Amino acid sequence: MKKKFTRNSAAFIGAALLMSVCSINVNAQTAAETAKMNAYVTGLMKKMTVDEKIGQLNLVTGGMAITGSVTNNGIGDGVKNGTIGGIFGLYGVAEVRKMQEAAVKGSRLHIPLIFGLDVIHGHRTIFPIPLGMSATWDLDLIKQSARIAAKEATAEGLNWVFSPMVDIARDARWGRISEGSGEDPYLGGRIAAAMVHGYQGTSLKNTDAVMACVKHFALYGAAEAGREYNTVDMSRLAMYNYYLPPYKAAVDAGVGSIMSSFNVVDGVPSTVNKWLLTDLLRKQWGFKGFVVSDYTSLNEVTNHGLGDLKTVSARAINAGLDMDMVGEGYLKTLKKSLQEKKVDMADIDRACRLILEAKYKLGLFDNPYKSLDAAREKSDIMTVANRVAARSAAEHSFVLLKNDNQILPLKKSGGSIALVGPLANNKRDMLGTWVIGGEWEKSVSVMEGIERVVGDKVKINYAKGSNITDDTTFIKRLNFGPGMVSLDKESPEDMIEDAVKAAKRSDIIVAVVGESQSMSGESSSRSDISIPESQQKMLRELAKLHKPMVLVLFNGRPLTLQWENDNATAILDVWAPGTEAGNAIANVLFGNYNPSGKLTTTFPRSVGQIPLYYNHLNTGRPYTNGPTKFKSNYLDIDNSPLYPFGYGLSYTKFQYSNLKLSKTNLKGNETLTATVTVSNTGSYTGEETVQLYIGDPEASISRPVKELKDFKKITLQVGQKKDVSFTITPDKLKFFNSDLRYDWEPGKFIIEVGTNSDITESATVNWMK
Ligand code: BGC
């Protein structure tokens, strides 16, 4: 049995500071720089009135992107009066310059504005949705995508982006699972840090650097029933061990700002939650940047039942919320609350200081127009290099879920293909959710991509085959913008008929199906996560022809794909690949790139299994050898997922063998090396992500059956083999115990290395203190 720990808050705080998943702050200031900044900001604040200070806390929308029913009016006057600290949802050098000049020339103290936007997976050149990016398991590539987004965003005058979103999600019903990196805290943390580094670059003062804003703090991905904006209720153990690490990793990487979430944490909405925003974030984690609310989330605290706008605004400033997005709660009520002594001047000063510091760190006081360069706006956006990077990212993000009879890659010449499905000749849905600067007209459709790769060497027989959905109520809910989802003029029956005809004339069917752009993302929860019925009907008819059928699957979340898995010959999951969608898809379908993506979320067999995730706890009655009474299983379905976390096939085959541990009995701070041999036994060069998991079956609390602790991406030529080694130190064994103390406990550990979370080579060690 392992030793029990007693509460020791000093040790806990120290350990919590260490609980990082390897992220260094490349933007850290020297002591001299901090002193200089403090002196500057102090000097400026001495001149500011209370109104001007409160003005800095007010973030308004410029109206180019809104996600709520409220917008701001009279922005121009507010900027001159000093009642606005920043604007988001407004970009373009001319527009930004107009507002910045109004602030710098027109306001009493000439304080520059900060300009933000939801740049989520690229600004103009759109990369795959974040869930797709995470499936690359390629941190350099992810960082590079953020760098390119920062370059494009700054070329249009922006200096702040509302990304990365690092909310861990175990529930595919939640539409925003598409915006994050999946279910794993370790991988999520590594990606969070890579993105912060990519956005912020080597110095925030650079003209091509943006300040990142990690969101949504905290636990937003655990909304009950996967319903958007819903209640979150979880133990501190679950928070610290599974949900908080990615936010912490972003803080350690030096993220400049944090956005509070819409949900409650321990019953208190995040936006006014002092434990979260001050005790945890600032005191335990040492966060030095500023916290902004989500869109009107401060006003919404009233709906959570905590009082009127004045009450909740006072509570928010006291809790540690610095900037108020859109709702103007601070602007309208803080001064009154100050007069009534419900708010301390010190709290308003703190918030104002942090926002001014952010502007200082960005170099805006030195040059408020630093990235307002009309030449760059022309030269740096949607460049060929950016598109090539987006294409490569997309290729790396695709996950091959099934490939019977090695049907993929397809031959580049000879024969015929029936290209069917509502997403086959479609540009709009290539981009996925959150693409404010993205121009769908410039994206490449699957049809265009295929034509570019095969020219006239393969006969393509196209038919749309079905609507995205035939359900008009669903369509109404999906359409928040014009022309998003519509019904075709042709009847559903005739469309299917066309697809069947095209398939009859062809050797192979390639069906491009799945979710449209607005089916995932914010406010896009679904209770049924299958491919819409209209498309399933088409697939069922096509399956009757018994021809090889390849599904190219668009999805912003794991879908339930049991029928598709049983009936399609191959399935290539392409998420929403971005601007270069069609080119990337064609390159993979025809073998110009061998797919290497791996799932970062578990795909359930049925929505009834949710939440289903690989790093679950064991039960007292674990499920073994098939369903039976009085075990933890269902009567009507297996416990296992359809596709596990970490899963993804390649056109080649990788064989794992010979897991060797450098020792099996260890003590204290010794280091363990685990080495496995990976061989390419197939007939293509391929990339493989080798994954290290550790299980901790003897602990003071029940621990996950296994947890991802490291991974390495390797390339193997045909016939090549490589020894892949992982170095394991006791740090990798640490977790938060019942006393929230972060440490490792001696005993037995299971070391697993494999191609996914389910198929691994494993060995056991004893590690004593
Ligand atoms: C979303 C945020 C986003 C904000 C600003 C909100 O509705 O939850 O993720 O950054 O709007 O657009």
Side-chain angles (χ1 to χ4, degrees):
M1 276 301 291
K2 293 185 185 178
K3 187 173 127 215
K4 276 200 154 190
F5 291 97
T6 50
R7 188 171 198 94
N8 173 339
S9 63
F12 155 55
I13 290 170
L17 289 170
L18 291 173
M19 183 207 64
S20 122
V21 252
C22 142
S23 24
I24 35 157
N25 180 359
V26 288
N27 271 301
Q29 283 177 324
T30 62
E33 282 166 345
T34 307
K36 208 170 150 203
M37 177 178 79
N38 288 346
Y40 182 87
V41 172
T42 303
L44 179 57
M45 283 179 62
K46 277 196 185 134
K47 296 183 217 151
M48 293 173 81
T49 62
V50 172
D51 289 315
E52 282 165 336
K53 286 178 180 173
I54 293 173
Q56 285 302 306
L57 321 188
N58 187 30
L59 176 67
V60 298
T61 171
M64 279 159 112
I66 53 167
T67 56
S69 51
V70 183
T71 52
N72 303 102
N73 299 315
I75 294 179
D77 292 341
V79 168
K80 287 189 198 132
N81 299 338
T83 56
I84 289 176
I87 302 181
F88 78 102
L90 181 118
Y91 56 95
V93 168
E95 286 78 2
V96 172
R97 182 176 286 279
K98 202 163 86 195
M99 285 297 171
Q100 194 65 302
E101 277 181 354
V104 174
K105 296 185 182 158
S107 72
R108 193 179 74 89
L109 291 172
H110 320 293
I111 300 175
L113 297 162
I114 186 169
F115 290 90
L117 190 73
D118 286 283
V119 171
I120 309 294
H121 48 114
H123 175 49
R124 292 283 186 186
T125 308
I126 301 299
F127 284 73
I129 53 167
L131 189 59
M133 286 302 292
S134 71
T136 67
W137 296 58
D138 187 332
L139 300 173
D140 290 336
L141 184 150
I142 289 169
K143 179 175 163 190
Q144 174 67 0
S145 74
R147 193 82 287 282
I148 289 172
K151 283 190 177 155
E152 291 196 346
T154 52
E156 291 207 87
L158 295 163
N159 30 51
W160 187 28
V161 295
F162 300 150
S163 173
M165 180 191 111
V166 304
D167 306 323
I168 294 294
R170 295 169 166 180
D171 192 331
R173 291 171 296 185
W174 190 52
R176 300 196 84 168
I177 198 170
S178 55
E179 288 178 56
S181 297
E183 71 193 32
D184 186 67
Y186 172 77
L187 180 62
R190 299 283 306 266
I191 292 176
M195 294 205 57
V196 170
H197 290 151
Y199 285 132
Q200 300 194 162
T202 49
S203 164
L204 283 171
K205 291 207 162 47
N206 295 345
T207 44
D208 65 0
V210 286
M211 182 171 277
C213 181
V214 66
K215 66 190 189 186
H216 305 81
F217 195 59
L219 322 178
Y220 184 32
E224 280 177 1
R227 179 157 54 77
E228 186 63 299
Y229 315 126
N230 203 7
T231 303
V232 170
D233 193 6
M234 77 169 67
S235 70
R236 289 278 160 107
L237 269 185
M239 287 184 203
Y240 275 87
N241 284 315
Y242 314 123
Y243 283 83
L244 293 176
Y247 309 104
K248 172 71 166 59
V251 169
D252 290 342
V255 72
S257 62
I258 292 202
M259 188 184 293
S260 70
S261 57
F262 286 119
N263 54 281
V264 295
V265 170
D266 284 339
V268 179
S270 302
T271 302
V272 297
N273 191 315
K274 189 165 194 168
W275 173 78
L276 190 71
L277 303 186
T278 297
D279 297 353
L280 178 72
L281 184 61
R282 297 195 188 279
K283 294 191 184 152
Q284 292 181 22
W285 291 0
F287 176 62
K288 300 269 186 294
F290 72 96
V291 181
V292 61
S293 74
D294 201 345
Y295 202 107
T296 60
S297 69
L298 176 54
N299 313 58
E300 293 163 26
V301 176
T302 297
N303 287 343
H304 283 284
L306 275 76
D308 62 13
L309 188 60
K310 183 150 87 61
T311 309
V312 301
S313 299
R315 186 157 170 182
I317 192 86
N318 174 267
L321 180 83
D322 305 306
M323 198 177 227
D324 172 15
M325 188 193 291
V326 177
E328 299 180 358
Y330 277 1
L331 192 71
K332 290 177 184 151
T333 69
L334 275 192
K335 197 168 174 193
K336 186 116 208 307
S337 294
L338 184 70
Q339 286 155 356
E340 291 169 0
K341 302 211 177 335
K342 291 192 175 120
V343 157
D344 283 341
M345 194 58 219
D347 281 318
I348 295 175
D349 278 345
R350 173 216 73 225
C352 176
R353 175 175 289 277
L354 289 168
I355 291 157
L356 294 175
E357 282 181 6
K359 295 178 178 181
Y360 182 96
K361 289 177 195 160
L362 280 162
L364 291 174
F365 287 109
D366 291 335
N367 181 4
Y369 311 107
K370 72 167 194 174
S371 46
L372 296 176
D373 175 352
R376 259 194 76 207
E377 188 172 35
K378 288 210 177 78
S379 63
D380 285 14
I381 283 172
M382 297 281 279
T383 62
V384 173
N386 292 359
R387 290 191 76 133
V388 169
R391 186 187 316 157
S392 167
E395 289 163 1
H396 284 76
S397 74
F398 301 163
V399 182
L400 184 61
L401 297 175
K402 181 179 178 187
N403 193 20
D404 272 5
N405 314 324
Q406 299 277 302
I407 181 82
L408 293 177
L410 302 172
K411 286 196 210 71
K412 282 186 207 160
S413 69
S416 52
I417 292 175
L419 181 65
V420 301
L423 294 161
N425 185 20
N426 172 316
K427 283 175 178 280
R428 184 186 289 273
D429 294 304
M430 301 299 100
L431 300 186
T433 184
W434 272 129
V435 284
I436 293 167
E439 296 159 280
W440 62 264
E441 299 87 344
K442 293 189 180 162
S443 66
V444 182
S445 73
V446 179
M447 177 121 100
E448 287 168 337
I450 290 181
E451 278 164 359
R452 262 179 221 172
V453 171
V454 299
D456 55 9
K457 294 203 197 88
V458 177
K459 173 96 182 92
I460 306 293
N461 297 311
Y462 168 75
K464 185 171 170 189
S466 81
N467 292 308
I468 292 281
T469 171
D470 296 335
D471 179 341
T472 49
T473 311
F474 193 16
I475 290 179
K476 259 192 220 135
R477 292 186 183 179
L478 288 171
N479 285 353
F480 62 89
M484 299 202 76
V485 178
S486 55
L487 289 179
D488 202 275
K489 285 194 280 314
E490 225 182 335
S491 75
E493 295 72 26
D494 288 351
M495 287 167 89
I496 293 180
E497 178 85 36
D498 292 347
V500 169
K501 274 191 202 147
K504 281 186 177 157
R505 280 187 278 134
S506 310
D507 306 320
I508 290 178
I509 304 164
V510 172
V512 191
V513 293
E515 293 190 304
S516 67
Q517 182 180 37
S518 51
M519 274 188 200
S520 67
E522 186 170 353
S523 190
S524 301
S525 297
R526 295 181 66 197
S527 70
D528 171 359
I529 55 168
S530 57
I531 295 175
E533 176 60 17
S534 57
Q535 301 181 55
Q536 286 193 42
K537 268 192 207 156
M538 174 193 74
L539 293 177
R540 286 197 293 267
E541 290 308 311
L542 292 169
K544 289 181 188 158
L545 303 177
H546 300 293
K547 294 205 173 189
M549 180 158 77
V550 176
L551 302 192
V552 174
L553 189 70
F554 279 69
N555 48 335
R557 52 159 61 80
L559 299 177
T560 46
L561 299 167
Q562 189 69 63
W563 182 91
E564 290 77 3
N565 184 67
D566 294 345
N567 289 279
T569 322
I571 307 178
L572 181 69
D573 192 330
V574 301
W575 315 108
T579 308
E580 283 289 308
N583 287 335
I585 290 168
N587 278 343
V588 172
L589 287 179
F590 292 93
N592 293 344
Y593 178 76
N594 180 359
S596 63
K598 301 267 193 174
L599 298 179
T600 58
T601 45
T602 303
F603 274 44
R605 292 174 191 278
S606 147
V607 77
Q609 292 175 303
I610 289 176
L612 188 68
Y613 47 95
Y614 85 95
N615 50 346
H616 61 88
L617 305 185
N618 227 344
T619 68
R621 294 185 177 192
Y623 161 90
T624 38
N625 305 329
T628 162
K629 276 284 181 191
F630 312 116
K631 293 275 186 196
S632 180
N633 56 252
Y634 301 96
L635 290 176
D636 54 349
I637 195 168
D638 247 42
N639 280 14
S640 63
L642 185 58
Y643 308 118
F645 174 86
Y647 172 84
L649 304 172
S650 165
Y651 293 157
T652 198
K653 282 207 162 52
F654 296 110
Q655 210 170 59
Y656 284 65
S657 61
N658 204 17
L659 174 63
K660 278 188 305 225
L661 301 181
S662 58
K663 296 170 190 164
T664 48
N665 286 296
L666 294 101
K667 207 167 165 15
N669 277 339
E670 281 182 343
T671 297
L672 171 68
T673 308
T675 307
V676 75
T677 307
V678 187
S679 321
N680 182 346
T681 58
S683 30
Y684 298 87
T685 297
E687 288 162 62
E688 167 72 341
T689 300
V690 184
Q691 302 158 36
L692 169 75
Y693 296 89
I694 301 183
D696 184 1
E698 294 175 359
S700 59
I701 59 168
S702 187
R703 303 270 294 117
V705 291
K706 62 183 77 175
E707 291 178 295
L708 181 75
K709 293 292 177 176
D710 207 348
F711 55 91
K712 283 191 177 155
K713 205 159 176 177
I714 56 165
T715 302
L716 291 178
Q717 311 297 322
V718 176
Q720 195 188 357
K721 54 174 148 174
K722 248 185 207 168
D723 282 347
V724 180
S725 292
F726 293 99
T727 305
I728 303 166
T729 60
D731 262 356
K732 293 220 176 289
L733 312 177
K734 288 182 176 171
F735 64 96
F736 288 90
N737 70 7
S738 301
D739 299 322
L740 294 183
R741 187 187 157 99
Y742 187 63
D743 204 349
W744 63 284
E745 299 176 1
K748 176 172 147 188
F749 295 92
I750 303 164
I751 311 296
E752 297 186 43
V753 182
T755 184
N756 62 51
S757 63
D758 193 33
I759 303 174
T760 57
E761 301 265 305
S762 79
T764 303
V765 295
N766 278 300
W767 208 320
M768 305 314 287
K769 284 253 170 171

